[in-house]
Each structure stands twice: as C-alpha cells, then as structure tokens.
C-alpha cells in the first residue's frame, strides 16, 4: 500500500510524503503506482524547475518527501491543491492501494 501524508501550514498544503508501493500490479505494470508517482513528480519538478523555488526534496525507491518553504506557499497552492484532489480521487478508486492523511510538518 502507498501511504500519502500531506503537510499543512496555516491550512495550506506545504508538502507531502509518499511511501510504499501500491501493489496493484507487477513492477513496471502497476498503473496505480505510476499515477501516484507521475503526479508527485509533476508537482515537484514544476516547483523546482519551472517556478525556480528552492524546496527540500528526498527521493529514493518507494519514497518521496517534498517540503515547500512557507514563504512560497501562495505560489504553489494551485499545484498542491491539484495533487490533493488527484490523489484523493485515486484513493476513492483504489482504496486498498492508497491511504491519505494530513498533518503538520
């Protein structure tokens, strides 16, 4: 199962931590894992490379943690809100493979 934790600061998403594999298919064939990974990388790469915002990122097999500085949250809000919506919809379709929670950093 993939666990997603959204970090919040003042009611705004300030980052996320994604861990584990969904187990919805064989490695390289797991469309649920691919959807989660692709969405997370889209947000992280857009913040880092397009918006040029310095954020803390840790990535390794089956794990990603991404934290945006508080002073940049208004610039990234649309992206992070979109990620929450996207992953919440995936969770509703694949509840046995994705678990989402919210918390403080």
């Amino acid at each position: 199962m993939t666990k997603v934790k959204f970090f919040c600061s003042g009611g705004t998403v300030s980052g996320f931590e994604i861990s584990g594999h969904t187990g919805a298919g064989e490695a390289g064939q797991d469309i649920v894992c691919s959807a989660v990974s692709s969405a997370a990388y889209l947000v992280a790469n857009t913040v880092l490379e397009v918006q040029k915002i310095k954020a803390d990122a840790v990535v390794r097999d089956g794990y990603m943690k991404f934290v945006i500085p508080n002073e940049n949250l208004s610039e990234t809000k649309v992206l992070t809100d979109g990620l929450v919506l996207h992953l919440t919809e995936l969770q509703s379709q694949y509840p046995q493979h994705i678990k989402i929670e919210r918390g403080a950093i």
Side-chain angles (χ1 to χ4, degrees):
M1 174 174 283
T2 294
K3 295 180 182 175
V4 180
K5 182 174 186 178
F6 287 105
F7 305 121
C8 297
S9 178
T12 300
V13 175
S14 58
F16 55 88
E17 182 176 45
I18 301 172
S19 61
H21 293 283
T22 63
E26 297 288 325
Q29 303 295 316
D30 188 336
I31 62 168
V32 180
C33 190
S34 294
V36 171
S37 297
S38 179
Y41 275 103
L42 173 71
V43 170
N45 289 333
T46 300
V47 169
L48 293 169
E49 302 299 328
V50 176
Q51 293 183 299
K52 303 295 186 194
I53 294 171
K54 295 198 185 293
D56 293 326
V58 176
V59 179
R60 59 181 180 267
D61 183 45
Y63 182 83
M64 177 187 275
K65 184 175 182 180
F66 190 74
V67 180
I68 302 160
N70 284 344
E71 63 268 15
N72 298 109
L73 295 183
S74 63
E75 298 169 68
T76 60
K77 183 173 179 14
V78 171
L79 282 168
T80 55
D81 285 354
L83 181 64
V84 171
L85 177 62
H86 183 73
L87 295 184
T88 300
E89 288 298 318
L90 283 173
Q91 177 185 242
S92 70
Q93 292 175 355
Y94 302 98
Q96 66 279 21
H97 299 291
I98 302 171
K99 180 180 179 185
I100 295 175
E101 62 182 59
R102 287 181 178 250
I105 293 179

